[in-house]
Amino acid sequence: MATVTRPVIPPRMPPREDLNPFHIAQLQFDMAAELLKLENGVRQILRVPRRILEVSLPVEMDNGQTKIFTGYRVQHNVARGPAKGGIRYHPNVSLDEVKALAAWMTWKTAAVNIPFGGGKGGVICDPKRMSKGEIERMTRRYAYEILPIIGPESDIPAPDVYTDAQTMAWIMDTYSIMVGHSVPGVVTGKPISLGGSEGRNEATSRGVVVIAEEACKQKKIPLRNASVAIQGFGNVGGIACRLFAERKAKIVAISDSRGGAYNARGIDPLRAQRYKDRTGTVVGMPGTSRITNDDLLTLKCDILVPSALENVITLANADQIKARIIVEAANGPTTPHADEILHRKGTYLVPDILANAGGVTVSYFEWVQNQQGYSWTESDVNAKLEAVMRRAFAEVAGSAQKHRTHLRHGAYALAVGRVAEATATRGLFP
Ligand code: NAD
């Protein structure tokens, strides 16, 4: 398949690296727009989010005091369908981060060709320091405040960092109470008992592993016995770890926000999960040595899977990356400057908007099942997911080949082209 022959020199690559995620998202878009020679009007539309909502959330804390949290919901584009994207709870959430994540969702849903647009939400908070009751009250107030712009036909939230199926259940319940009847399709990633889909919990990781298999085929590296390092042992990284091990790959390193664990002979994912459940971290797991998150990224391994946060592979460490393949399970882990260095080094990088699209794909399946009032079996969901991911990989690789560039630009050219076509065909209102 595609051998990359010519790096694209991006039109406006700034001389200094800028870690603002929204500036990065815009730069990635600009590079695709340039490749496609997009018409200027469509370019202007797609560079910015369509709608931004900022909300202040007064929440009664357990000590009786009222605390105000700031939250956002951003809808980047809805030309191809309702906005779709997760909700993040983290102290570092910012409007620019949510804008970037919303734009990446637009490109992701288009890259795998599902009929959704892109959106994202976030609340600036530290859920690790909040009780379950405080998180529930904050979530319900957030759901109430964003209620005017969400809905199964308009904008459908899902889990992201430090939110989960329970968070979605509270949002679905709050929305349903306000409109007077049950609306399961307002969120995805719900518990199965409320209309969640079989296979959704594992879907992002399952997609990551399917994409890793495709990347291994390209690089002629057998996945069996391939060494894998996973940064971020959370929902996505933890499950990916298990699924890689099921395919007999060797997990040599895992990490979380407190640090990492390393064993060249392999880490048992189930023991790691039990240890993490018991102690709250993977650090200090028996039979492993401690490493830092920075060390993990530069380990000699076949496959590196960043599964935590943005901007972990930058100008500062791209040169030292030794992995042969990078599969971006996290959103935005690699900066555009690092991209170019990795490309020159011959590292085969599968970009986030393709690699982690399994989650939104099964979210789409969940929404379809909710709209139909019918549920599919787990094997049905997994088979459909795999088909979407393998087709998308082939289309992205084909696009990269066509434009004689790497997979990130290939994925963006494919995705931006689809959204641009929908936007231009719908035309301007009024
Ligand atoms: P999560 O909260 O379940 O897990 C995040 C993990 O990252 C945790 O293990 C945490 O300890 C670790 N972490 C946090 N800060 C860190 C740091 N500074 N260094 C190293 N590790 C750190 O979240 P998740 O749902 O697994 O999401 C992880 C990434 O995958 C995010 O970028 C998210 O946007 C992306 N993603 C998630 C989904 C999904 O379905 N949940 C879908 C697509 C993409």
Side-chain angles (χ1 to χ4, degrees):
M1 175 95 48
T3 42
V4 175
T5 52
R6 176 175 59 95
V8 169
I9 306 299
R12 283 183 288 276
M13 183 73 109
R16 293 185 50 183
E17 189 169 46
D18 177 351
L19 297 183
N20 177 308
F22 187 58
H23 296 167
I24 289 176
Q26 284 192 317
L27 179 60
Q28 290 164 331
F29 166 76
D30 288 342
M31 291 189 265
E34 204 59 31
L35 269 182
L36 296 168
K37 301 276 170 260
L38 264 197
E39 185 269 315
N40 195 40
V42 176
R43 228 182 256 222
Q44 298 309 318
I45 294 171
L46 300 184
R47 281 195 99 233
V48 288
R50 171 188 168 152
R51 182 183 274 159
I52 296 172
L53 179 62
E54 178 176 325
V55 293
S56 297
L57 312 172
V59 176
E60 186 179 335
M61 305 304 278
D62 290 346
N63 63 8
Q65 307 231 314
T66 302
K67 190 167 172 183
I68 310 291
F69 294 90
T70 301
Y72 306 100
R73 185 72 192 170
V74 173
Q75 296 169 351
H76 175 261
N77 188 279
V78 292
R80 302 176 75 253
K84 185 83 193 82
I87 291 170
R88 178 172 293 196
Y89 289 171
H90 196 277
N92 296 343
V93 162
S94 66
L95 179 56
D96 272 353
E97 182 186 58
V98 181
K99 282 161 68 179
L101 290 162
W104 289 330
M105 287 305 299
T106 301
W107 313 133
K108 190 181 304 183
T109 52
V112 290
N113 211 4
I114 56 178
F116 281 148
K120 203 82 179 190
V123 179
I124 305 169
C125 64
D126 190 351
K128 285 186 186 168
R129 292 161 170 270
M130 294 167 71
S131 70
K132 190 171 177 189
E134 289 169 343
I135 295 173
E136 175 174 357
R137 291 192 291 279
M138 184 186 77
T139 300
R140 288 187 180 278
R141 185 63 189 232
Y142 174 68
Y144 173 80
E145 294 296 342
I146 65 169
L147 189 135
I149 65 166
I150 63 170
E153 314 291 345
S154 52
D155 184 356
I156 307 141
D160 191 72
V161 174
Y162 297 147
T163 55
D164 57 16
Q166 176 63 73
T167 324
M168 295 307 112
W170 290 325
I171 295 176
M172 178 264 190
D173 183 64
T174 306
Y175 185 92
S176 299
I177 287 171
M178 294 306 297
V179 300
H181 57 94
S182 267
V183 187
V186 66
V187 287
T188 59
K190 296 178 291 295
I192 304 273
S193 59
L194 297 180
S197 177
E198 296 289 350
R200 172 61 184 90
N201 194 36
E202 292 189 352
T204 307
S205 317
R206 193 169 285 282
V208 163
V209 174
V210 169
I211 290 296
E213 277 175 352
E214 292 294 326
C216 282
K217 279 187 217 158
Q218 295 296 315
K219 297 303 282 180
K220 304 206 172 10
I221 298 171
L223 185 55
R224 195 186 178 88
N225 287 327
S227 50
V228 182
I230 299 183
Q231 187 200 34
F233 196 77
N235 182 31
V236 176
I239 297 174
C241 187
R242 177 166 61 74
L243 297 177
F244 272 115
E246 281 174 10
R247 283 158 181 75
K248 310 286 183 229
K250 189 169 58 172
I251 310 297
V252 293
I254 52 180
S255 73
D256 56 38
S257 56
R258 297 203 221 160
Y262 173 74
N263 183 341
R265 291 197 308 279
I267 296 172
D268 178 341
L270 297 179
R271 282 184 51 217
Q273 190 62 59
R274 276 199 297 272
Y275 182 79
K276 167 113 186 164
D277 291 344
R278 194 155 46 82
T279 64
T281 179
V282 297
V283 179
M285 181 186 163
T288 64
S289 48
R290 288 173 188 231
I291 52 167
T292 65
N293 267 293
D294 289 345
D295 294 339
L296 181 146
L297 293 167
T298 56
L299 275 181
K300 188 169 184 333
C301 62
D302 294 309
I303 307 173
L304 172 64
V305 188
S307 317
L309 297 170
E310 299 93 74
N311 292 337
V312 295
I313 304 176
T314 66
L315 266 185
N317 63 359
D319 250 341
Q320 295 144 46
I321 302 277
K322 296 171 203 74
R324 297 159 77 189
I325 295 172
I326 299 176
V327 182
E328 291 187 330
N331 286 307
T334 313
T335 64
H337 285 79
D339 260 343
E340 298 307 314
I341 293 174
L342 293 170
H343 180 50
R344 276 202 295 275
K345 273 162 55 116
T347 312
Y348 192 80
L349 183 148
V350 190
D352 47 7
I353 62 167
L354 169 63
N356 70 34
V360 76
T361 301
V362 175
S363 273
Y364 166 58
F365 297 160
E366 181 175 330
W367 177 82
V368 170
Q369 292 170 76
N370 294 155
Q371 302 293 80
Q372 292 179 333
Y374 183 77
S375 57
W376 308 347
T377 63
E378 186 174 353
S379 56
D380 238 7
V381 169
N382 289 346
K384 288 185 166 73
L385 166 65
E386 201 169 317
V388 168
M389 297 305 291
R390 291 199 198 280
R391 188 199 62 214
F393 184 92
E395 289 182 344
V396 166
S399 168
Q401 190 170 31
K402 177 175 156 200
H403 293 286
R404 303 177 67 204
T405 182
H406 55 64
L407 291 183
R408 173 138 17 233
H409 291 324
Y412 268 79
L414 181 71
V416 170
R418 285 176 175 157
V419 179
E421 186 187 336
T423 302
T425 309
R426 284 178 67 148
L428 288 186
F429 171 86

